[in-house]
Amino acid sequence: MQELALGDIVQMRKTHPCGSDRWTIIRVGADIKIRCSLCGRIVMMDRADFVKRMKKIVGHSAEPIRGTNETDD
């Protein structure tokens, strides 16, 4: 399994209804919280479900995210 970090951009197996399949990881732990890159929708799922639904890691964050608050940009 690849290491997940805050700010990583992942590609999911299914597209979101908005048409995007790219998500940014905003929380890592027993649960994973991700934000849609196109519409900004936030989804939280347990790690096992996330690993099944994730296709690949597209990019790693260039700079660390300050916190897990989804209002931080």
Side-chain angles (χ1 to χ4, degrees), residues 16-67:
H16 190 242
C18 72
S20 176
D21 63 350
R22 307 284 167 122
W23 297 76
T24 304
I25 298 176
I26 57 174
R27 181 184 187 279
V28 178
D31 296 322
I32 307 288
K33 190 182 276 189
I34 55 178
R35 180 188 305 133
C36 180
S37 297
L38 189 61
C39 69
R41 172 73 68 181
I42 294 173
V43 177
M44 189 168 185
M45 61 185 78
D46 60 77
R47 185 180 282 267
D49 193 29
F50 176 80
V51 169
K52 281 190 240 179
R53 294 178 183 211
M54 182 182 79
K55 189 171 186 178
K56 65 180 178 178
I57 296 177
V58 177
H60 296 285
S61 62
E63 58 186 48
I65 295 179
R66 293 187 318 231

